[in-house]
Amino acid sequence: MKNRRDFLKTAALVTLGSGLFVRQTLAGGSVPSTFNINRKGIGGKMKMTYFPYELKLRHVFTVATYSRTTTPDVQVEIEYEGITGYGEASMPPYLGQTVESVMNFLKKVNLEQFNDPFQLEDILSYIDSLSPGDTAAKAAVDIALHDLVGKLLGAPWYKIWGLNKEKAPSTTYTIGIDTPDVVRAKTKECADQFNILKVKLGRDNDKEMIETIRSVTNLPIAIDANQGWKDRQYALDMIHWLKEKGIVMIEQPMPKEQLDDIAWVTQHSPLPVFADESLQRLGDVAALKGVFTGINIKLMKCAGMREAWKMVTLAHALGMRVMVGCMTETSCAISAAAQFSPLVDFADLDGHLLISNDRFKGVEVVKGKITLNDLPGIGVVRL
């Protein structure tokens, strides 16, 4: 009985009230063997290691403000009692973070002061207190800790959170800004494998981009304008035109500073409008109610899974819709974000599909749909 009481107490703390393990245990279900084995050794030390890892893109990636062929990344591993949790920090240029800044932040982290990895709130509050920014570095530690704790519990996080993996949505597949020939080729390459596309706009060839894609496929399209439209009337006119072309949502139509203009566009828009650059962390969510229809949550911006879960909960309480997004990342961070995807309206989790040197196997995209596995933690294995 003592083991059962200890288990229920820990599960309740870790799952933020999720009924999964409580239901299983009260029904007489067995406690995961991994959990029992590792809780016996509680009191050990966590050891964190990390190293740079450059992500190589399959195609040149172009958005409204820049182009690139690689993304800097730092891989993080946290070992405890023979179990390893994996995390990563991905740093596209607009985040303003670098391999050097991430490495410098991680040097400050002392996990050995904590002898229980299940104390996620205490540990991650400490991590967050080390600097005012460095969200990608914080996310790397957060993801690795969640992977570790999930492995110690013997369950994936979507189950710990009490979610139904069958409700995971289709993911968009991103088509970057390029010449008509390249856009046409990229669209042909992916049109049969996905159920919805995502198109980057915000330059002077927006209509040409859409017409080119429409010459190949009639799939639904999500638009990311990347703050590229500066005039609110132009933005609204574009949205009306895009709706006629089968577009289903708009992301960050105008610069993040122009909140009043964005609110006006949202009020008059025939399509839902989601915040990206206007949103970073939990404290930003409430102020965006009425400005946007919904929010796009990215682990690298919000410092990881724990805060992402709180952001989803708050957005829903405010009556806002939710999207989960990503950077170019390995299957590590993508699989971490996918754990709460059954709760979202839109998902843009194709970052691992855009690189040629993934270190992990994790969440898969099957006929365009996010397909979660039953591996414990964030659901990845090293390749």
Side-chain angles (χ1 to χ4, degrees):
M1 288 299 294
K2 182 178 185 301
N3 286 342
R4 179 170 291 185
R5 286 194 300 271
D6 289 345
F7 171 77
L8 287 170
K9 178 181 177 182
T10 304
L13 289 170
V14 172
T15 64
L16 299 177
S18 164
L20 171 76
F21 286 104
V22 176
R23 287 197 304 271
Q24 288 183 344
T25 306
L26 290 177
S30 60
V31 175
S33 59
T34 308
F35 179 90
N36 282 332
I37 291 169
N38 289 286
R39 291 299 286 180
K40 287 178 182 176
I42 203 71
K45 298 296 184 182
M46 288 179 282
K47 179 182 179 183
M48 184 174 73
T49 57
Y50 47 89
F51 56 91
Y53 188 73
E54 185 176 70
L55 306 180
K56 302 183 186 303
L57 303 182
R58 296 183 185 275
H59 300 287
V60 176
F61 190 74
T62 302
V63 297
T65 54
Y66 58 83
S67 298
R68 69 178 193 273
T69 57
T70 61
T71 300
D73 189 278
V74 173
Q75 298 282 306
V76 171
E77 299 179 0
I78 299 176
E79 189 271 337
Y80 175 83
E81 298 289 329
I83 305 295
T84 301
Y86 297 105
E88 75 174 303
S90 173
M91 292 84 67
Y94 81 86
L95 264 191
Q97 298 170 57
T98 64
V99 168
E100 182 180 15
S101 71
V102 169
M103 299 284 279
N104 286 338
F105 177 86
L106 294 175
K107 288 176 184 176
K108 303 176 188 177
V109 176
N110 174 22
L111 294 181
E112 292 190 1
Q113 64 186 294
F114 301 96
N115 59 13
D116 186 350
F118 286 82
Q119 296 172 351
L120 288 174
E121 197 68 44
D122 288 348
I123 298 171
L124 294 174
S125 293
Y126 154 71
I127 296 296
D128 204 15
S129 72
L130 294 177
S131 78
D134 295 300
T135 54
K138 293 173 182 178
V141 180
D142 171 284
I143 293 168
L145 279 170
H146 277 80
D147 192 33
L148 175 63
V149 168
K151 286 172 176 174
L152 292 170
L153 283 170
W157 271 92
Y158 79 82
K159 284 189 175 181
I160 296 171
W161 281 329
L163 304 180
N164 179 0
K165 69 177 181 180
E166 298 305 320
K167 292 184 177 180
S170 293
T171 180
T172 59
Y173 183 80
T174 302
I175 307 291
I177 299 170
D178 217 314
T179 64
D181 286 345
V182 173
V183 169
R184 195 175 294 110
K186 288 180 179 178
T187 305
K188 288 179 179 177
E189 182 181 303
C190 68
D192 293 336
Q193 304 172 50
F194 294 88
N195 304 316
I196 180 171
L197 301 178
K198 182 176 180 179
V199 179
K200 299 286 188 176
L201 298 184
R203 290 190 173 180
D204 56 5
N205 66 336
D206 288 350
K207 290 188 177 182
E208 179 184 61
M209 281 283 297
I210 298 302
E211 296 286 11
T212 300
I213 292 168
R214 281 291 174 247
S215 72
V216 177
T217 180
N218 289 318
L219 284 175
I221 296 174
I223 293 299
D224 184 358
N226 279 120
Q227 309 182 83
W229 302 331
K230 304 301 190 290
D231 177 79
R232 71 182 193 177
Q233 187 62 56
Y234 175 83
L236 184 61
D237 290 344
M238 277 297 301
I239 292 172
H240 278 283
W241 182 84
L242 290 165
K243 184 177 186 297
E244 297 301 313
K245 298 295 179 179
I247 277 61
V248 296
M249 64 86 72
I250 306 292
E251 188 179 342
Q252 199 68 44
M254 302 185 71
K256 61 184 180 180
E257 299 84 7
Q258 297 180 223
L259 289 182
D260 289 343
D261 288 334
I262 296 171
W264 181 88
V265 170
T266 299
Q267 181 182 356
H268 294 88
S269 173
L271 297 173
V273 180
F274 283 73
D276 183 2
E277 285 86 354
S278 292
L279 171 83
Q280 184 156 339
R281 302 197 58 176
L282 179 65
D284 302 324
V285 176
L288 297 180
K289 178 176 172 57
V291 180
F292 293 90
T293 313
I295 59 172
N296 183 1
I297 299 171
K298 296 180 178 178
L299 298 188
M300 296 302 135
K301 292 201 303 178
C302 76
M305 295 172 67
R306 196 159 188 79
E307 185 147 325
W309 177 259
K310 295 176 182 180
M311 292 172 75
V312 173
T313 303
L314 177 57
H316 284 164
L318 293 171
M320 300 178 75
R321 301 175 73 178
V322 176
M323 175 180 183
V324 58
C326 66
M327 315 302 183
T328 44
E329 301 163 352
T330 72
S331 288
C332 176
I334 296 295
S335 297
Q339 297 300 312
F340 63 87
S341 66
L343 288 176
V344 308
D345 300 283
F346 292 97
D348 178 31
L349 293 180
D350 64 344
H352 60 314
L353 304 177
L354 304 178
I355 65 173
S356 60
N357 59 336
D358 200 343
R359 297 183 67 237
F360 300 90
K361 180 177 175 60
V363 65
E364 295 184 339
V365 177
V366 180
K367 296 182 179 179
K369 180 179 169 63
I370 296 169
T371 306
L372 292 157
N373 58 50
D374 290 327
L375 294 173
I378 61 172
V380 297
V381 293
R382 278 282 310 277
L383 294 175

